[in-house]
Amino acid sequence: MKNKQKEIYVLNPGYLLKPDKNRVVITRRGNDPGIEDFTGFVHPVYAILLSLFDAEKELSGVITEAASILKKDPEIISNIISPLLENEDEVYFHFDGVHFSFPPRLLVKKNNGYPHEKLDPESFFIPKKDLDFDTRRLNTPLDALFIINIRCVTDCVYCYADRRKKMDCEIPIERLKELIQEAKELQMRYINISGGEFFLYKHWEVLLSELIANDLTPYISTKCPIDEQTINKLKDMGLKNIQISIDSIIPDELIRILKVKPDYPGKLLETLKKLDEKGFEIFTNSQVTAANCDNISQLLDFLLNLKNIKRINMGAAAFSLYLGEAKYKEYRASLEKIEQLKSKLEDLKKEYLGTISVNFSGYYDKNGVIDRKPEEKKKSFGERARCSGNFYSFTILPDGKVTVCEELYWHPKFIIGDLTKQSIEEVWNSEPALELYNISQDMIRNESSCKNCPEFESCHKDKGVCWKEVLYAYGEENWDYPDPKCPYATKPLREFYLS
């Protein structure tokens, strides 16, 4: 520590330190894939300490100032700071009876090539009596996903969208600009764009420019072939990365899976090559079905030869609420094929570690949903990831209605507001939103095993349940049934898993 006293350290610009009324949140800023995807609470004392790293003071000066503000011995401050200096792994502290964790590389040496946000220590002063580290739902949201339309250039056999409503964006562009300004004021991380298809929205250039200008740069995923003129326009606007959804490089397979015209496969591959030439960071997403599972190696070879490929995501094409069980059984790949592919991707992940992110997303299989022993199921369910929907994120539908998850669309039980009539804060703190988070067993029907479960409140308020999986397993009318992975769940009414 002594040899670092003259160094200038800053809070890693990839992380956001955000006041959240009665606590402070630390999380990854924006969509930066190079930063640990981390969200947690920070005690105000630590937030004040971190805010003092202003890119001007040497480490010794920060320690002196922190000791004065916090009325602590400089050696104590030094002992707190030391583990956070360019830490390679998460760091854990126990303070005021609460455990706190901090992400990797939290405090890094100043780099004049990167912007540094000046933080006001006073914004993190919160009276001790008001502190709340138990309520997992944030007081203001971090993220939003905007389903901009229900229009596509493809007709995917596995489509999970609710295409019963063919809809363009009905929110006026001026209203969208107002919402973007509010999102910035709320220190939201981003507003991602989904569809439908982003490039079929008539005001996409205006919307993208506005989001980038307000530091809410979206993660854009498209299946639309993009011409060179549009690619140049995206580059001039400041977009640095884009996700292309591609399921095969074999024309017949792509035509069969996406139901597209014969010239589509060539145009999509040309789009990838042009993006690569122009220096875009390329992310890809691929759905594995019965039609393409035997030729994924060819797709991987093509993608791995792109100079600027940064991330390859693959996954088994999942159940669609809006296509149903019979269609799912037609397009799903076998569990055996998926397990073989998963193993191959795990090997590639190790081979390209540090250069290309290679991932195979989770999938549902009969063992995990039905055949697992109760004690294994209970352990697995207890270790599940926290749901983001209505905890710190929300989804905007094309007509301005707000739901908690993109696959739930207009299901009435999950609509929490309307952004054509309400502000983001009003929607987030609306009666339907809070009622869904604070859901009580009085709202649950007797036929659901959740009705009398002693773990009901902690289950829903701590990590939440995956509402879409509930609907997958039991149907839209049985929204109040348990998560099918729950050890107390009854047998699914539909085969939404691989076998």
Side-chain angles (χ1 to χ4, degrees):
M1 189 73 166
K2 286 182 179 179
N3 60 346
K4 299 177 180 179
Q5 294 291 314
K6 295 292 184 182
E7 298 281 2
I8 297 179
Y9 288 89
V10 298
L11 177 65
N12 190 326
Y15 292 116
L16 171 68
L17 203 58
K18 175 184 174 179
D20 188 52
K21 188 178 176 180
N22 45 19
R23 63 276 185 97
V24 181
V25 174
I26 187 165
T27 185
R28 181 176 74 177
R29 185 189 298 275
N31 280 310
D32 187 348
I35 296 294
E36 182 83 7
D37 190 3
F38 181 97
T39 299
F41 294 146
V42 177
H43 194 284
V45 167
Y46 292 108
I48 291 166
L49 180 56
L50 293 171
S51 72
L52 298 176
F53 287 85
D54 58 6
E56 295 177 359
K57 291 188 290 291
E58 295 177 349
L59 180 58
S60 58
V62 173
I63 292 171
T64 300
E65 185 175 3
S68 175
I69 292 174
L70 300 174
K71 297 179 172 53
K72 298 286 184 183
D73 186 279
E75 188 173 343
I76 293 175
I77 300 296
S78 181
N79 289 338
I80 294 172
I81 291 173
S82 182
L84 302 175
L85 297 176
E86 300 182 298
N87 53 305
E88 290 300 322
D89 302 302
E90 283 189 32
V91 174
Y92 302 91
F93 286 121
H94 188 78
F95 186 82
D96 266 1
V98 182
H99 287 282
F100 298 96
S101 60
F102 296 85
R105 294 192 56 77
L106 185 61
L107 293 171
V108 295
K109 288 181 182 178
K110 178 182 177 181
N111 183 333
N112 291 324
Y114 293 96
H116 176 72
E117 181 185 11
K118 297 281 185 179
L119 299 174
D120 179 9
E122 290 191 11
S123 67
F124 302 113
F125 279 86
I126 302 171
K128 188 172 182 178
K129 63 181 178 61
D130 296 335
L131 291 174
D132 176 11
F133 299 115
D134 295 322
T135 305
R136 308 313 301 182
R137 186 180 192 270
L138 301 190
N139 293 295
T140 57
L142 283 177
D143 315 327
L145 176 69
F146 183 17
I147 299 177
I148 203 162
N149 52 30
I150 310 292
R151 293 180 59 213
C152 291
V153 295
T154 62
D155 183 17
C156 308
V157 296
Y158 52 75
C159 181
Y160 66 77
D162 184 357
R163 294 190 291 179
R164 292 173 293 190
K165 295 186 180 184
K166 299 284 186 183
M167 185 180 291
D168 284 308
C169 178
E170 296 181 356
I171 311 171
I173 188 63
E174 293 306 316
R175 178 59 182 148
L176 288 175
K177 288 180 181 180
E178 292 172 356
L179 293 171
I180 289 169
Q181 287 300 316
E182 185 187 0
K184 182 178 182 179
E185 291 166 9
L186 291 173
Q187 289 187 275
M188 288 178 60
R189 300 189 298 182
Y190 49 76
I191 299 176
N192 278 339
I193 306 292
S194 181
E197 176 55 60
F198 176 67
F199 292 105
L200 294 182
Y201 173 51
K202 62 182 178 180
H203 297 303
W204 72 260
E205 293 176 56
V206 178
L207 178 60
L208 181 56
S209 295
E210 199 75 13
L211 287 167
I212 292 173
N214 286 280
D215 297 321
L216 292 162
T217 301
Y219 183 71
I220 293 174
S221 179
T222 182
K223 285 187 174 176
C224 188
I226 311 170
D227 59 36
E228 187 168 5
Q229 182 181 357
T230 302
I231 290 172
N232 289 335
K233 193 176 293 182
L234 292 170
K235 195 166 187 67
D236 291 342
M237 293 168 74
L239 195 71
K240 293 182 173 60
N241 55 55
I242 191 167
Q243 176 174 288
I244 301 293
S245 294
I246 179 168
D247 299 331
S248 177
I249 61 166
I250 299 173
D252 287 348
E253 285 185 357
L254 213 51
I255 291 167
R256 190 158 70 253
I257 296 167
L258 305 186
K259 301 178 189 174
V260 288
K261 294 179 180 178
D263 62 345
Y264 175 91
K267 287 182 177 179
L268 191 64
L269 292 182
E270 188 62 26
T271 293
L272 277 162
K273 292 173 184 176
K274 285 292 180 185
L275 288 167
D276 197 38
E277 286 174 16
K278 300 291 182 180
F280 279 83
E281 292 183 343
I282 297 172
F283 306 150
T284 62
N285 187 54
S286 307
Q287 298 298 310
V288 183
T289 68
N292 64 344
C293 61
D294 290 324
N295 294 307
I296 292 295
S297 291
Q298 294 181 47
L299 173 60
L300 287 167
D301 288 343
F302 172 81
L303 296 178
L304 290 168
N305 277 315
L306 296 172
K307 298 189 300 293
N308 295 298
I309 189 80
K310 297 299 178 184
R311 185 168 67 205
I312 297 172
N313 282 345
M314 292 195 169
F319 184 87
S320 168
L321 286 169
Y322 309 101
L323 293 177
E325 186 176 359
K327 287 286 185 184
Y328 175 60
K329 289 180 178 179
E330 288 178 12
Y331 67 72
R332 69 179 177 181
S334 70
L335 178 58
E336 180 183 8
K337 296 280 187 182
I338 291 299
E339 288 178 338
Q340 289 172 358
L341 181 56
K342 180 183 177 184
S343 177
K344 179 179 178 64
L345 268 288
E346 285 173 349
D347 290 339
L348 283 175
K349 186 172 187 173
K350 295 173 186 173
E351 183 179 347
Y352 288 93
L353 188 66
T355 56
I356 303 172
S357 174
V358 180
N359 306 293
F360 195 85
S361 58
Y363 53 89
Y364 313 106
D365 65 77
K366 187 177 180 183
N367 175 60
V369 176
I370 294 177
D371 296 339
R372 184 173 292 181
K373 294 178 181 178
E375 59 271 20
E376 292 177 351
K377 209 170 182 182
K378 185 168 185 176
K379 182 177 184 293
S380 175
F381 191 61
E383 295 172 349
R384 71 191 185 280
R386 178 170 291 109
C387 177
S388 64
N390 205 34
F391 276 75
Y392 61 81
S393 70
F394 60 91
T395 296
I396 309 166
L397 297 167
D399 60 356
K401 296 288 194 305
V402 177
T403 183
V404 299
C405 170
E406 65 171 317
E407 291 193 45
L408 301 177
Y409 289 91
W410 287 274
H411 192 299
K413 290 294 182 182
F414 305 103
I415 296 293
I416 61 174
D418 186 340
L419 286 173
T420 65
K421 303 172 184 177
Q422 299 167 284
S423 68
I424 292 173
E425 272 202 284
E426 286 171 339
V427 168
W428 188 253
N429 294 302
S430 67
E431 184 177 337
L434 297 177
E435 185 178 73
L436 186 61
Y437 175 70
N438 294 303
I439 188 170
S440 77
Q441 286 171 298
D442 292 338
M443 299 168 63
I444 307 299
R445 295 171 300 157
N446 290 331
E447 51 264 43
S448 169
S449 52
C450 288
K451 182 67 176 180
N452 298 303
C453 178
E455 298 172 33
F456 179 87
E457 184 171 345
S458 60
C459 174
H460 285 76
K461 283 190 173 184
D462 181 19
K463 292 186 175 177
V465 299
C466 184
W467 296 111
K468 73 172 183 181
E469 290 180 15
V470 175
L471 303 193
Y472 282 175
Y474 304 109
E476 293 179 70
E477 69 281 8
N478 294 318
W479 68 274
D480 58 349
Y481 274 42
D483 187 311
K485 299 189 299 299
C486 169
Y488 308 119
T490 51
K491 183 179 179 180
L493 300 177
R494 297 195 286 201
E495 192 173 316
F496 67 97
Y497 41 81
L498 300 178
S499 61

